[in-house]
Amino acid sequence: MTHGMPRRARVLAAAVGTGVLVPLAAATPAAAAPPAVTCTSAKAGLAATLQRDITAALAGREGTVALGLYDRGTNTTCSLRASSVYDSASVVKVTVLAALLWDAKKTNRYLTDRESTLAKAMITKSDNAATSALWKQLGMTKIKGFLTAAGMTQTKPGANGYWGLTQITVTDEQKLLKLLTARNAVLSDNARAYILKLMGQVVASQRWGTPYGVPAGVTVAVKNGWLQRATNGWRVHSVGAFKGGGHDYVMTVLTHGNSTMNYGIATIQAVAKVIHRDLAAS
């Protein structure tokens, strides 16, 4: 008796009766929802505000975005795809300088004039030849030694001199920025100040990204990276440290799958703008 049964049930009954298996629904599972921005804060209401505003800033943006925020003053953190892996492009240059200073500290020496010249060009102008020279000088053993000392366990140095293909994550970039902005046993206070000074002297044409929308009176230290490859389009990244207005915070935004470099910059700046605004208002 199939009379009065819904059509779908009648089809099933008929199929069972004849021994034929009839698929009743699409076999493909629903696409997984993209990961959500998560925030926590000791400041009442701030986490919810940041989560809402960052989510809105990313709505409709193409590409894949990973981000991290940590503000010491309000013990606020936000994260999205914190362990997703990206090609580093030039943001790895901060790691290179930190490794150089960490290694020099072990023998209690200052940087040579040559090293200082290369370091300044590498950070303030994103000079690739200077980076290659320091990368080669350090060698893989020292670079990996620094990553271990810094607890940057998710970072994999690029092979065969290709430092721009170092694999990085938001988690590790945030660890590095935290080392630069608070006393620790890995980097001396002088080393930390030196790196932040150079990141504060980046040429005007490269001061986009995480500093966008920073309030007046807040100091900025930034390093950006950009790289186009056949897969995943443009990688566009920005890491920054900010202090002032009662806040002391570090921010990492990594992106790939951008159609152009400027598209990636716009995505990063949309996020940075609301983060600076929400922290300033808190």
Side-chain angles (χ1 to χ4, degrees):
M1 286 284 293
T2 59
H3 183 68
M5 295 170 68
R7 182 177 180 280
R8 181 168 166 157
R10 292 203 303 273
V11 170
L12 177 59
V16 170
T18 59
V20 176
L21 183 60
V22 179
L24 298 179
T28 53
V37 177
T38 58
C39 298
T40 62
S41 180
K43 180 94 173 181
L46 181 55
T49 298
L50 281 164
Q51 192 168 324
R52 178 197 69 212
D53 291 348
I54 295 170
T55 300
L58 290 174
R61 299 302 293 177
E62 296 172 7
T64 304
V65 181
L67 66 89
L69 168 70
Y70 172 62
D71 175 41
R72 285 187 178 88
T74 54
N75 194 23
T76 298
T77 63
C78 290
S79 69
L80 173 66
R81 298 188 179 94
S83 294
S84 293
V85 176
Y86 290 76
D87 294 329
S88 68
S90 289
V91 295
V92 77
K93 293 169 181 177
V94 180
T95 300
V96 175
L97 180 52
L100 179 68
L101 291 162
W102 168 80
D103 183 62
K105 178 189 172 192
K106 290 197 293 185
T107 54
N108 200 30
R109 72 172 182 87
Y110 291 106
L111 296 189
T112 65
D113 288 346
R114 171 185 170 274
E115 288 168 339
S116 297
T117 299
L118 291 172
K120 183 171 184 178
M122 174 173 71
I123 300 297
T124 65
K125 297 188 291 187
S126 207
D127 187 283
N128 291 337
T131 310
S132 294
L134 290 173
W135 183 269
K136 183 177 180 181
Q137 175 186 315
L138 282 164
M140 206 53 70
T141 300
K142 290 179 178 179
I143 291 167
K144 288 182 175 179
F146 169 73
L147 293 172
T148 299
M152 295 169 66
T153 56
Q154 297 177 354
T155 301
K156 303 291 181 281
N160 303 316
Y162 289 108
W163 45 261
L165 298 183
T166 295
Q167 301 295 285
I168 62 170
T169 65
V170 161
T171 294
D172 275 9
E173 291 303 300
Q174 288 290 95
K175 282 182 179 179
L176 178 59
L177 291 170
K178 288 176 186 178
L179 283 178
L180 299 184
T181 52
R183 299 195 76 165
N184 61 84
V186 181
L187 294 170
S188 70
D189 290 351
N190 284 341
R192 297 190 302 105
Y194 179 64
I195 297 172
L196 290 171
K197 181 183 84 170
L198 292 182
M199 290 173 68
Q201 295 174 351
V202 166
V203 295
S205 61
Q206 295 178 19
R207 293 178 70 81
W208 46 262
T210 50
Y212 188 79
V214 70
V218 174
T219 60
V220 171
V222 65
K223 184 69 196 83
N224 296 325
W226 56 97
L227 173 67
Q228 184 184 28
R229 298 187 74 196
T231 56
N232 288 326
W234 280 91
R235 295 101 173 96
V236 187
H237 313 316
S238 184
V239 299
F242 310 91
K243 192 168 187 177
H247 293 279
D248 176 7
Y249 54 110
V250 293
M251 191 192 320
T252 297
V253 188
L254 309 178
T255 76
H256 65 207
N258 299 293
S259 54
T260 64
M261 178 177 166
N262 282 339
Y263 188 90
I265 291 173
T267 296
I268 295 170
Q269 294 189 164
V271 172
K273 181 181 178 181
V274 298
I275 288 175
H276 291 304
R277 184 190 70 204
D278 289 350
L279 287 176
S282 67

